[in-house]
Amino acid sequence: MLRLHTQVPNSVNVSPLFTPFITGLPPSTNIFRQVLVSKARRHRRNIQHVNSNVSAMISTTTSEGKFTTMKGVINVQPTISGALAGATVGFVGSFVDGVSDLLGRSFMLELVSANLDSYGKEKETIKAYANWEGFNDDGSKMHRYECEFNVPNEFGDIGAILVENEQHREAYIKNIVINNVTFTCDSWVHSKNDNPHQRIFFTNKSYLPSETPLGLKALREKDLESLRGNGEGERKTFERIYDYDTYNDIGDPESDLDLSRPVLGGEQHPYPRRCRTGRQMTTTEPWSESRAALPFYVPRDEDFSEIKEVTFGATALFSVLHGVIPMLESILTDANKGFSLFREIELLYEEGLDTTDLPHSGLISVLPRLFKAITGTAKSVLQFETPRIKDRDSFSWYRDEEFCRQALAGLNPYSIQLVTEWPLMSKLDPEVYGPAESAITKEIVEQEIKGFMSLEEALEQKKLFLLDYHDLLLPYVNKVREIEGTTLYGSRTLMFLTSTGTLRPLAIELTRPPNNGKPQWRHVYTPCWDATDAWLWKLAKAHVLAHDSGHHQLISHWLRTHGATEPYIIATNRHLSKMHPIQRLLCPHLRYTMQINSLARLALINAGGTIDTSFSLRKYSMQFSSDVYAQQWRFDHEALPADLIKRGMAVEDESAPHGIKLTIEDYPFANDGLLLWDVIKQWATTYVNHYYPQPNLVETDTELQAWWTEIRTIGHGDKKDEPWWPQLKTQQDLIKIVTTIMWVSSGHHSAVNFGQYDFAGYFPNRPTIARTKMPNEDPTVEGWEAFISKPEDVLLDCFPTQIQATKIMSVLDILSTHSPDEEYIGTNIEPAWAEEPAIKAAFEEFSNQLKEFEAIIDSRNRDPRLRNRCGAGLVPYQLFKPFSEPGVTGKGVPYSISI
């Protein structure tokens, strides 16, 4: 029977919870604190003679009567909520927590043996209380709590530790060290007043389920069960429950029926699942979840914003969505007003918008790139930095060659595809949408390539490439056109590969389906040398760029990285134990994403949000995302080589450096991306083979099989019956699966995210919306004369409004920003990897290879033969350079989707 004698430490420091974080406390409060500390010190002196050791002593009797004294240290990271505790919990709670700290009852720890006793039963745990000893002196500013355990010699190896937080509020525990045994926690530990169940932490040693020490088997399963929940009730902020739900909360019908949106997920609108929050359903639409409870719940360990730098993505993005955008709306009061001159666009970068008389709420310090204080005055402005594409070449957005180059080395390199069949044909019902055969004819193509070769030769030599948004957008054209201030077409853009390896545009086809008795309208635009057709060509490009911007943001970016990854995160936490080696391999790739996704549902992809109001598809944006998921998304095609092959941009070739041969040799996205893909795959291969030396270990791993089954049948359950899902039976199967997940969350996301401000911060280069139809579609005399008289005005009217443009610019600035403590791939080794020599060596090789990328990419960007990345005024392609300094740099590959 264990008997605890609680003692206080020899030297008392003022508890961190008593530090005057908040100024302006009443004098009586501070006096009360001083009295408390004074009494605690006298109490310590009175009992000092009992024992000079720290914290708790454990007395018991063993057959041998022998013990080993072990010292425990808990490192707790300071948080914003801790600093504000006096305001949020109230003085009473803060007072009680201070007493707990001073008297040694902050955390209660229990050591769990990895071994069973001689009767085959779990050994009794060893308990101790920890108390605050001050701050670590290593510069980390961690709060340090210490305790001592008297551990029987026959206790065996420590396999786990149970933690009970005796305080009234949560704490973020970085790690616990018992003698030389480290428990890496990186986790919020709830107060026992919120949840009486202890938290379970395992050592850094990884085990497959079948290899779990006998003393930990039940605890391993208990810990997983605590993360799954029962699918009932509304989730509370302190909980760590991972469960699935549909996207039934992006609409807001209670505020306005026009903000109603269909549920995404299910037979009608297939979609990946999100994390369940359990909020009440609306009375207006019983199938829609209420948006009243804000912010949206995420499992507590997914909220890292409080322990990251203040400039961390979630914090900064929240500041933009809830501070900057309302400010813009108060300055730019006419929601339909566009830019009357290009000079007005230039002034956004040169002078900015005066915000002197508007409440900033700390925005200047949180968003120093956006807000500038005018030296020598009391004025402040919201001023945008000049995007790199504008800074290097003011007219690059105007040129056809840059229009094409960005399909290979821009924001959306995932869309271009090889033309393999002619004529171009629609798969839509011609009875509804009009003739299926494209209006881009053989004659038009051969006229544009001017006899250099025939159409048949161009097809055979793989010279024709396509941006095809015809079938994807055409079903939405008539619906979008009912919304005031916007229009839409289906589009096809045909390009030709020249002998220099660059692309040149041949034709753009814009199509409007039949509507209200009007037949299908379509027109093919080509680069021209007369003034009228040249301006029509520029307008047609603006429409295509708006289509490409929508596809980039909704598909290449949101759906294929953010949305598709959330089910992987949920399944990993529900089925892979914290001591599972694959959980530890994937963990850095899955951090922070759910919090960012929650924020996106709150104010980016929701009804009335930034995308909903500022992109071409408007309120149909997320429904469009669902359609593309249903028609095109396949897990096996998310691997980079498979994606390139699917689009005809590569073919398998074992003799080629990466096992595939590119159709366009100078394809910067693919050239650099394949380097990163191979290094990730090599790292995953070494890791997997270390823990699974025999194939049968993969198939008999119960946690792993449950994980993969749930990803397929629930997380992406609307596609559970598809035949293309990879099997999970061998090491090679597992390597392909985890490499794909690691690639999507790191390389894929970086390629479509961190160049956003560089390429789209100057919106004429990538407008997000085209507001007016082409002048030659059902032209009126007045409209046509206005176009002929001043075509520049027509182009400016087509571009986004002032409020649409500045909202998008503000968001893209934040999305493109690296925080000061960004976690770049291959930079920091995970503690569990470092403790396994073979894995540590493999990681060091992985890290060294990534460092070599810097020089390789730099040399490519200087090679004049590579004209898609090296040339006068070009923005060099460096999105796959693994590392970066803070800020908007257009490079750097974080482990995870952290913004």
Side-chain angles (χ1 to χ4, degrees):
M1 186 93 182
L2 293 175
R3 209 166 58 247
L4 295 178
H5 302 289
T6 303
Q7 311 214 330
V8 294
N10 285 325
S11 60
V12 175
N13 294 300
V14 178
S15 161
L17 305 179
F18 272 46
T19 304
F21 288 110
I22 299 178
T23 59
L25 289 176
S28 59
T29 302
N30 292 321
I31 293 171
F32 195 29
R33 285 179 171 175
Q34 294 170 12
V35 171
L36 171 69
V37 174
S38 176
K39 287 183 176 180
R41 285 174 174 160
R42 290 198 300 272
H43 178 61
R44 289 169 51 83
R45 287 196 295 271
N46 291 337
I47 65 171
Q48 201 167 24
H49 67 279
V50 178
N51 195 301
S52 61
N53 289 330
V54 175
S55 195
M57 287 187 0
I58 303 170
S59 300
T60 187
T61 302
T62 67
S63 57
E64 298 180 1
K66 296 181 179 179
F67 298 86
T68 299
T69 299
M70 293 187 178
K71 182 177 180 179
V73 175
I74 306 176
N75 291 304
V76 177
Q77 189 156 326
T79 64
I80 297 171
S81 63
L84 299 178
T88 56
V89 178
F91 176 70
V92 174
S94 187
F95 173 82
V96 173
D97 287 343
V99 172
S100 296
D101 269 346
L102 288 167
L103 299 182
R105 299 182 67 88
S106 299
F107 298 97
M108 193 272 284
L109 307 182
E110 292 186 49
L111 304 184
V112 180
S113 175
N115 313 110
L116 300 177
D117 63 19
S118 57
Y119 298 100
K121 296 182 179 179
E122 294 174 5
K123 294 184 178 181
E124 199 164 7
T125 60
I126 309 298
K127 302 180 181 180
Y129 282 102
N131 40 283
W132 189 67
E133 289 296 315
F135 296 93
N136 281 344
D137 55 8
D138 58 3
S140 65
K141 299 181 180 178
M142 295 279 184
H143 297 297
R144 180 183 179 91
Y145 294 77
E146 294 184 1
C147 62
E148 280 191 359
F149 301 89
N150 285 342
V151 182
N153 290 345
E154 69 274 14
F155 188 75
D157 295 333
I158 301 171
I161 192 164
L162 310 181
V163 180
E164 182 177 87
N165 181 359
E166 301 284 319
Q167 301 176 99
H168 278 70
R169 56 185 180 274
E170 63 186 356
Y172 188 85
I173 298 183
K174 185 68 178 174
N175 57 46
I176 302 172
V177 182
I178 309 295
N179 279 16
N180 293 320
V181 180
T182 299
F183 300 80
T184 300
C185 306
D186 286 323
S187 181
W188 297 95
V189 177
H190 56 261
S191 165
K192 70 175 185 180
N193 298 290
D194 290 327
N195 183 349
H197 297 292
Q198 297 164 302
R199 283 296 309 282
I200 302 168
F201 296 106
F202 299 101
T203 64
N204 289 343
K205 185 171 178 56
S206 298
Y207 297 97
L208 299 181
S210 60
E211 299 168 345
T212 309
L214 296 178
L216 303 177
K217 279 186 173 291
L219 209 57
R220 180 172 182 150
E221 181 54 37
K222 181 180 179 181
D223 189 44
L224 283 172
E225 287 178 357
S226 72
L227 296 169
R228 293 177 191 146
N230 59 9
E232 299 177 1
E234 183 172 352
R235 298 274 63 88
K236 300 177 178 63
T237 56
F238 62 83
E239 292 181 324
R240 299 164 56 248
I241 304 299
Y242 295 80
D243 205 351
Y244 300 93
D245 208 343
T246 58
Y247 280 74
N248 60 358
D249 65 341
I250 55 176
D252 191 8
E254 287 182 316
S255 297
D256 187 340
L257 283 178
D258 193 51
L259 297 179
S260 174
R261 297 292 183 268
V263 173
L264 304 186
E267 186 176 349
Q268 189 172 2
H269 298 291
Y271 215 60
R273 296 303 190 260
R274 65 164 175 96
C275 185
R276 180 183 178 276
T277 61
R279 285 167 283 146
Q280 295 293 319
M281 296 299 179
T282 66
T283 55
T284 311
E285 294 179 350
W287 57 87
S288 295
E289 194 171 75
S290 170
R291 295 175 59 84
L294 302 175
F296 294 168
Y297 164 85
V298 293
R300 192 64 186 101
D301 282 350
E302 303 299 330
D303 182 355
F304 283 80
S305 60
E306 289 197 24
I307 63 164
K308 301 288 284 184
E309 293 275 357
V310 71
T311 53
F312 177 60
T315 306
L317 184 57
F318 186 89
S319 298
V320 167
L321 296 175
H322 294 274
V324 176
I325 289 179
M327 184 181 292
L328 288 169
E329 290 171 342
S330 67
I331 297 171
L332 306 171
T333 54
D334 186 350
N336 297 316
K337 185 178 180 180
F339 294 89
S340 58
L341 297 168
F342 274 90
R343 180 60 185 159
E344 290 182 354
I345 303 174
E346 306 284 339
L347 290 175
L348 295 173
Y349 311 103
E350 296 176 11
E351 297 182 4
L353 301 170
D354 190 349
T355 62
T356 304
D357 298 327
L358 298 172
H360 288 81
S361 303
L363 290 174
I364 291 179
S365 60
V366 176
L367 304 170
R369 265 181 59 91
L370 284 176
F371 286 93
K372 310 287 191 298
I374 306 301
T375 305
T377 72
K379 291 185 63 176
S380 63
V381 296
L382 192 160
Q383 182 179 352
F384 296 95
E385 298 283 343
T386 303
R388 198 169 279 110
I389 192 168
K390 171 70 173 171
D391 188 50
R392 294 178 73 98
D393 184 349
S394 294
F395 300 101
S396 61
W397 68 275
Y398 204 71
R399 298 199 310 269
D400 288 349
E401 60 269 28
E402 182 64 13
F403 170 68
C404 291
R405 188 188 78 88
Q406 289 184 27
L408 302 173
L411 268 190
N412 194 26
Y414 274 99
S415 199
I416 189 170
Q417 58 185 288
L418 177 70
V419 176
T420 57
E421 297 179 351
W422 198 267
L424 302 175
M425 297 290 292
S426 170
K427 296 180 181 178
L428 299 175
D429 184 354
E431 294 294 323
V432 177
Y433 297 102
E437 185 172 327
S438 171
I440 303 177
T441 62
K442 174 181 178 178
E443 291 72 25
I444 291 175
V445 173
E446 292 186 341
Q447 179 182 345
E448 289 303 310
I449 57 179
K450 301 190 186 311
F452 183 72
M453 63 177 63
S454 67
L455 172 67
E456 290 75 16
E457 289 171 326
L459 289 168
E460 183 181 354
Q461 296 179 34
K462 299 183 178 180
K463 296 289 188 180
L464 297 179
F465 295 85
L466 188 67
L467 294 179
D468 189 357
Y469 301 126
H470 182 275
D471 284 13
L472 292 178
L473 293 177
L474 210 59
Y476 289 94
V477 169
N478 290 332
K479 292 188 288 188
V480 167
R481 285 182 167 219
E482 294 176 1
I483 302 172
E484 183 181 357
T486 189
T487 193
L488 190 65
Y489 296 97
S491 70
R492 296 184 179 103
T493 304
L494 189 65
M495 302 178 188
F496 177 75
L497 182 64
T498 69
S499 58
T500 62
T502 59
L503 293 170
R504 55 168 287 207
L506 299 181
I508 291 173
E509 179 183 22
L510 299 181
T511 304
R512 180 202 70 198
N515 186 36
N516 294 330
K518 291 183 178 180
Q520 182 195 72
W521 178 91
R522 59 184 179 177
H523 191 87
V524 176
Y525 303 88
T526 59
C528 291
W529 302 104
D530 67 279
T532 299
D533 286 338
W535 271 104
L536 288 172
W537 170 252
K538 291 177 180 64
L539 283 160
K541 281 200 302 181
H543 282 273
V544 169
L545 287 166
H547 302 165
D548 193 63
S549 292
H551 183 273
H552 159 259
Q553 203 63 265
L554 291 162
I555 310 303
S556 302
H557 186 193
W558 166 258
L559 172 64
R560 293 181 64 179
T561 65
H562 290 261
T565 297
E566 187 150 341
Y568 311 149
I569 301 169
I570 299 171
T572 298
N573 282 278
R574 286 168 58 88
H575 290 290
L576 298 184
S577 165
K578 299 300 181 183
M579 64 170 68
H580 197 291
I582 300 303
Q583 196 278 345
R584 285 173 163 160
L585 174 65
L586 294 179
C587 180
H589 292 275
L590 305 179
R591 291 187 186 122
Y592 319 127
T593 304
M594 289 184 73
Q595 186 183 29
I596 291 296
N597 287 3
S598 172
L599 189 52
R601 299 200 327 274
L602 186 64
L604 276 176
I605 64 172
N606 61 299
T610 303
I611 289 178
D612 199 90
T613 58
S614 302
F615 280 76
S616 287
L617 284 145
R618 297 293 295 269
K619 68 179 184 180
Y620 301 103
S621 293
M622 290 302 290
Q623 190 174 333
F624 170 74
S625 179
S626 169
D627 284 353
V628 178
Y629 176 75
Q631 296 172 34
Q632 296 184 354
W633 188 89
R634 292 176 49 157
F635 180 87
D636 59 331
H637 285 172
E638 295 306 289
L640 177 59
D643 170 79
L644 294 169
I645 292 169
K646 174 193 70 174
R647 292 187 283 120
M649 302 304 291
V651 293
E652 292 188 54
D653 184 348
E654 293 185 3
S655 65
H658 308 284
I660 61 174
K661 179 178 174 57
L662 294 177
T663 309
I664 299 177
E665 292 183 10
D666 181 15
Y667 185 1
F669 160 75
N671 296 129
D672 295 356
L674 286 168
L675 283 175
L676 181 58
W677 168 269
D678 280 358
V679 174
I680 293 174
K681 184 178 180 181
Q682 181 180 331
W683 156 237
T685 299
T686 304
Y687 190 100
V688 167
N689 287 336
H690 175 79
Y691 287 103
Y692 296 89
Q694 293 88 35
N696 68 300
L697 291 175
V698 173
E699 200 164 7
T700 58
D701 186 331
T702 54
E703 288 182 4
L704 194 66
Q705 294 299 325
W707 168 76
W708 184 235
T709 297
E710 192 165 276
I711 286 174
R712 292 182 292 109
T713 62
I714 300 179
H716 285 278
D718 296 331
K719 289 180 172 279
K720 65 180 183 297
D721 297 323
E722 297 287 354
W724 42 254
W725 282 106
Q727 293 184 322
L728 183 52
K729 294 184 176 181
T730 67
Q731 301 103 318
Q732 286 304 311
D733 296 337
L734 180 55
I735 290 165
K736 290 178 182 177
I737 290 168
V738 297
T739 301
T740 299
I741 293 174
M742 293 157 73
W743 160 258
V744 167
S745 61
S746 57
H748 180 152
H749 180 258
S750 295
V752 298
N753 183 74
F754 291 106
Q756 291 194 84
Y757 194 75
D758 280 346
F759 286 101
Y762 183 66
F763 67 85
N765 185 61
R766 285 187 68 80
T768 58
I769 190 170
R771 297 189 296 134
T772 57
K773 65 182 183 179
M774 293 295 293
N776 63 323
E777 181 200 340
D778 302 331
T780 63
V781 172
E782 182 182 3
W784 185 254
E785 287 181 352
F787 168 63
I788 295 297
S789 174
K790 203 164 184 184
E792 182 179 304
D793 287 356
V794 176
L795 180 60
L796 286 166
D797 287 343
C798 185
F799 284 157
T801 64
Q802 293 185 16
I803 186 63
Q804 288 171 334
T806 51
K807 283 165 61 174
I808 292 296
M809 290 161 65
S810 301
V811 171
L812 295 187
D813 185 275
I814 297 303
L815 295 183
S816 305
T817 300
H818 290 293
S819 68
D821 51 358
E822 188 79 86
E823 297 178 14
Y824 297 105
I825 188 169
T827 303
N828 298 321
I829 187 169
E830 294 290 298
W833 304 346
E835 292 194 13
E836 188 69 30
I839 298 303
K840 182 180 179 182
F843 176 82
E844 289 172 352
E845 175 66 18
F846 174 54
S847 182
N848 288 335
Q849 289 181 315
L850 290 170
K851 291 172 185 175
E852 294 172 2
F853 280 9
E854 299 281 324
I856 294 173
I857 292 174
D858 284 342
S859 66
R860 288 176 173 178
N861 285 332
R862 291 191 300 265
D863 189 342
R865 296 170 299 175
L866 303 178
R867 302 189 186 191
N868 290 319
R869 64 193 307 158
C870 179
L874 296 187
V875 175
Y877 193 79
Q878 52 185 12
L879 288 167
F880 285 119
K881 291 183 78 168
F883 318 115
S884 172
E885 58 274 11
V888 178
T889 64
K891 59 184 177 181
V893 181
Y895 271 117
S896 66
I897 304 165
S898 57
I899 184 61

